[in-house]
């Protein structure tokens, strides 16, 4: 996953339940925190990434778990961030 963000700005996203494919969100875990920015995980699969105040790059890794068609599973999401 790629994010392009202004220095000092925030990026927000949520992982939820999606009815079309019987996909149900269960948990969101922080696997590797960002080296330069800050990330906050919120209840319900919501995260807020705050970019550092200077330009450059950053990265972090999240793990999303849930079920699809009653089969449990997880996906690891690697984020690359460009701070402008």
């Amino acid at each position: 996953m790629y994010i392009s963000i202004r220095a000092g700005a925030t990026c927000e996203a949520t992982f939820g339940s999606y009815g079309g494919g019987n996909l149900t969100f269960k948990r969101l875990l922080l696997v590797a925190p960002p080296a330069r920015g800050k990330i906050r995980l919120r209840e319900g699969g919501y995260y807020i990434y705050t970019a550092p105040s200077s330009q450059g790059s950053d990265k972090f890794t999240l793990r999303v778990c849930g079920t699809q068609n009653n089969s449990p599973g997880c996906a690891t999401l690697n984020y690359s961030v460009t701070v402008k």
Side-chain angles (χ1 to χ4, degrees):
M1 311 275 300
Y2 297 96
I3 298 172
S4 180
I5 189 170
R6 288 186 331 261
T10 60
C11 174
E12 303 176 25
T14 187
F15 299 95
S17 299
Y18 302 97
N22 289 327
L23 180 65
T24 303
F25 167 81
K26 297 287 185 184
R27 321 183 282 249
L28 177 62
L29 307 164
L30 180 60
V31 176
R36 299 181 58 228
K38 294 181 179 145
I39 193 162
R40 291 182 300 175
L41 301 184
R42 300 288 202 190
E43 188 175 325
Y46 181 76
Y47 78 82
I48 301 170
Y49 171 79
T50 303
S53 59
S54 60
Q55 295 179 353
S57 61
D58 203 0
K59 62 183 179 178
F60 61 93
T61 303
L62 300 176
R63 189 153 176 85
V64 179
C65 297
T67 60
Q68 183 173 15
N69 297 323
N70 296 319
S71 296
C74 295
T76 300
L77 305 172
N78 296 304
Y79 286 83
S80 294
V81 181
T82 300
V83 181
K84 298 178 177 185

